[in-house]
Amino acid sequence: MNDNNKMDRGKEHAGPKKMTPRQKQKRNRKATLAAVLCFVAAIAIVGTYTMRDYKTVKKEGELAKAQLEEQKKALEEASQEASGNAQKDSASESGTDGAGTGGKAQKSGSGAGTAGTASKNAATAGNTDGSGNNGNQDGNSQTNGSQQAARTAGSASSANFTSDSKMIWPVSGTVLMNYSMDKTVYFATLDQYKYNPALVISGAEGDQVLCGAPGIIKSIDVTAQTGTTVTVDLGNGYEVLYGQLKEVPVKVGDQVEAKSILGYIGQPTKYYSVEGCNVYMELRKDGTPVNPVDYMTKR
């Protein structure tokens, strides 16, 4: 009995059972496998977020590139159209200078004839002072100055638009978008609601665009929104803008009348691509947009 108790106590004090080499190898394999799985999972998570960020950055890059291409194309078109207008203006001025030179030559010939006649008369009469010719030249200069002043006064008086004046329609198309500065209207191309300070009138590419009232060409600009735009000073603080044009035959400073051709309808800008070919007509009083319909003649 005592011997059995001693054996039991011996087993209790023997300590934990030692692992065999095979058991140790098996445990090490499990630990290694767990570490590998954790590493693979971490790589998968990082790869997922990296791919997602790559796709986002790539998409943003493509959108930015498309916007840059569109802006570049719009600038090239505007530059080409402006260059064409400059060439037309240069050709027109060259023709005017040529005509003026011819007139001067003709006038010089007439002067030579007059001088010859004066010399002959002087030889006959024995008078060589030439005072008569100088008097005629002074009289001609005064006459030309008076005529030029009269033309300038006529131009100023013709640009005399008032609140009671009426304008003709630039084209015969329908109104695509009405003037609206008290509430927003829907812009189909932009797919948003905005205030509209102008009339947008439909038309076909190449249709003539007529001036609504007498005035003076104030400016010819090219903008991204309304393309080639002609501004006419009507007088008394009124001015009217005609946009979406091409092949503009007038230049800054020209006197125009009602029904004068200001240009032709061109391709719409990207801001009005859904609306199609149109004329943008904006009327201002002292720089503030007013409703053009209130000043238009009835159709």
Side-chain angles (χ1 to χ4, degrees), residues 180-185 194-196:
S180 181
M181 293 299 289
D182 55 349
K183 62 180 181 179
T184 58
V185 294
K194 294 176 55 180
Y195 293 105
N196 184 28

Side-chain angles (χ1 to χ4, degrees), residues 189-246:
T189 301
L190 304 178
D191 191 24
Q192 59 181 258
Y193 285 86
K194 294 176 55 180
Y195 293 105
N196 184 28
L199 288 178
V200 179
I201 310 169
S202 68
E205 183 177 4
D207 284 354
Q208 292 180 347
V209 178
L210 305 180
C211 185
I216 299 172
I217 303 299
K218 180 180 179 180
S219 65
I220 302 174
D221 305 302
V222 179
T223 68
Q225 182 176 355
T226 59
T228 301
T229 304
V230 176
T231 301
V232 182
D233 183 1
L234 303 178
N236 298 321
Y238 288 93
E239 61 182 19
V240 58
L241 289 73
Y242 299 92
Q244 308 283 8
L245 307 184
K246 68 175 183 178

Side-chain angles (χ1 to χ4, degrees), residues 88-127:
K88 288 183 180 179
D89 292 343
S90 177
S92 177
E93 290 175 359
S94 298
T96 303
D97 292 342
T101 304
K104 290 179 181 178
Q106 183 177 2
K107 185 176 179 180
S108 298
S110 299
T114 303
T117 303
S119 299
K120 185 177 180 179
N121 292 335
T124 303
N127 184 6

Side-chain angles (χ1 to χ4, degrees), residues 19-60:
M19 296 178 64
T20 64
R22 185 174 183 180
Q23 289 175 333
K24 288 182 179 181
Q25 187 178 8
K26 187 175 182 181
R27 186 182 65 177
N28 291 337
R29 286 179 180 175
K30 289 181 179 179
T32 302
L33 179 60
V36 170
L37 290 176
C38 291
F39 181 72
V40 171
I43 291 177
I45 292 172
V46 173
T48 300
Y49 283 103
T50 301
M51 181 58 70
R52 184 181 302 171
D53 292 341
Y54 170 75
K55 290 182 178 179
T56 302
V57 171
K58 183 178 180 181
K59 185 175 182 181
E60 292 176 353

